[in-house]
Amino acid sequence: MDFPLASTLSGVKSVVLTTIANSEKRRLKTVDISCKRSCSGCCRRYVEITVAEASIIVSFLKQKKLWDSVKEKAERASSMAKKVPSNAWFKMGIKCPILDDGDLCSAYPVRPPVCAVHYAKSDPAVCNPSKFSNQKYDPIEFLEEFAESRKKLGSTLAGYGVLQVVLPLPTALLMADRISVKTGLSYD
């Protein structure tokens, strides 16, 4: 089924991009953040997003011709999400399906707000559950930015049922693809 919801999803895209931009500005002012390109330890955490946020990501990935690869990984991770408790996700090292083979986020410009507001003070090696360390994992989360994004997202999606549904990220991506939301959005 097709949903012509370009204006609503344009609002969702705006919320996502604003959250990312605001978080990036705060990150640049926070000197003790240790995150580096491709450290991606945090990308092994259980994350839930709305189907609307997933629609933005899927649309972006399709335009960049990356969706087929991500979809395969999302199918595998989605079946894990049904079997594995959320608190075990990180310990098992289950990677986000959006990560490419070099551990870079394939949808970084439109990544979920929950990801955009999360950083760490600790050594990036401590963030990766597959690498044992005696050091403490020390996250920094811009919770005000996240709360604001949830508030704006809620008002943008009021009355849009399925787009408001919150699911594990891999499942949300597959749901967004299945309902074939016609975003009409471009990512140039």
Side-chain angles (χ1 to χ4, degrees):
M1 87 175 82
D2 291 336
F3 296 103
L5 299 172
S7 64
T8 298
L9 288 174
S10 179
V12 172
K13 179 182 173 189
S14 177
V15 169
V16 168
L17 296 179
T18 299
T19 303
I20 291 169
N22 291 343
S23 293
E24 287 290 324
K25 287 177 195 169
R26 284 189 66 185
R27 181 186 66 83
L28 293 173
K29 294 177 184 175
T30 308
V31 294
D32 51 355
I33 289 177
S34 62
C35 302
K36 305 284 186 254
R37 181 177 170 86
S38 82
C39 60
S40 71
C42 295
C43 303
R44 286 158 177 80
R45 296 189 178 280
Y46 179 86
V47 171
E48 292 182 334
I49 63 173
T50 65
V51 173
E53 291 167 303
S55 295
I56 301 302
I57 295 167
V58 169
S59 176
F60 175 84
L61 292 170
K62 284 181 176 181
Q63 287 184 23
K64 301 296 180 186
K65 308 238 184 295
L66 299 169
W67 173 242
D68 291 340
S69 170
V70 171
K71 183 178 180 179
E72 282 181 35
K73 293 183 251 179
E75 287 168 344
R76 287 191 301 272
S78 183
S79 70
M80 291 295 289
K82 295 173 189 170
K83 301 172 191 169
V84 177
S86 60
N87 61 349
W89 195 269
F90 181 69
K91 292 175 185 166
M92 293 177 67
I94 300 169
K95 290 171 68 168
C96 174
I98 301 172
L99 286 179
D100 67 15
D101 293 337
D103 282 346
L104 296 174
C105 180
S106 298
Y108 193 80
V110 295
R111 65 196 180 278
V114 69
C115 300
V117 303
H118 186 88
Y119 297 96
K121 292 181 192 179
S122 45
D123 182 322
V126 177
C127 301
N128 189 334
S130 64
K131 297 178 181 170
F132 179 76
S133 174
N134 288 328
Q135 295 179 7
K136 180 182 176 245
Y137 172 66
D138 193 7
I140 297 175
E141 295 178 307
F142 301 142
L143 298 178
E144 307 84 23
E145 297 297 337
F146 186 65
E148 183 64 22
S149 78
R150 296 297 91 186
K151 181 179 166 186
K152 288 179 180 175
L153 195 60
S155 63
T156 301
L157 292 175
Y160 285 97
V162 71
L163 294 178
Q164 297 174 322
V165 174
V166 176
L167 297 167
L169 184 140
T171 308
L173 293 173
L174 296 171
M175 174 68 81
D177 183 47
R178 278 189 205 114
I179 62 172
S180 280
V181 174
K182 302 294 182 193
T183 65
L185 303 173
S186 65
Y187 299 91
D188 298 323

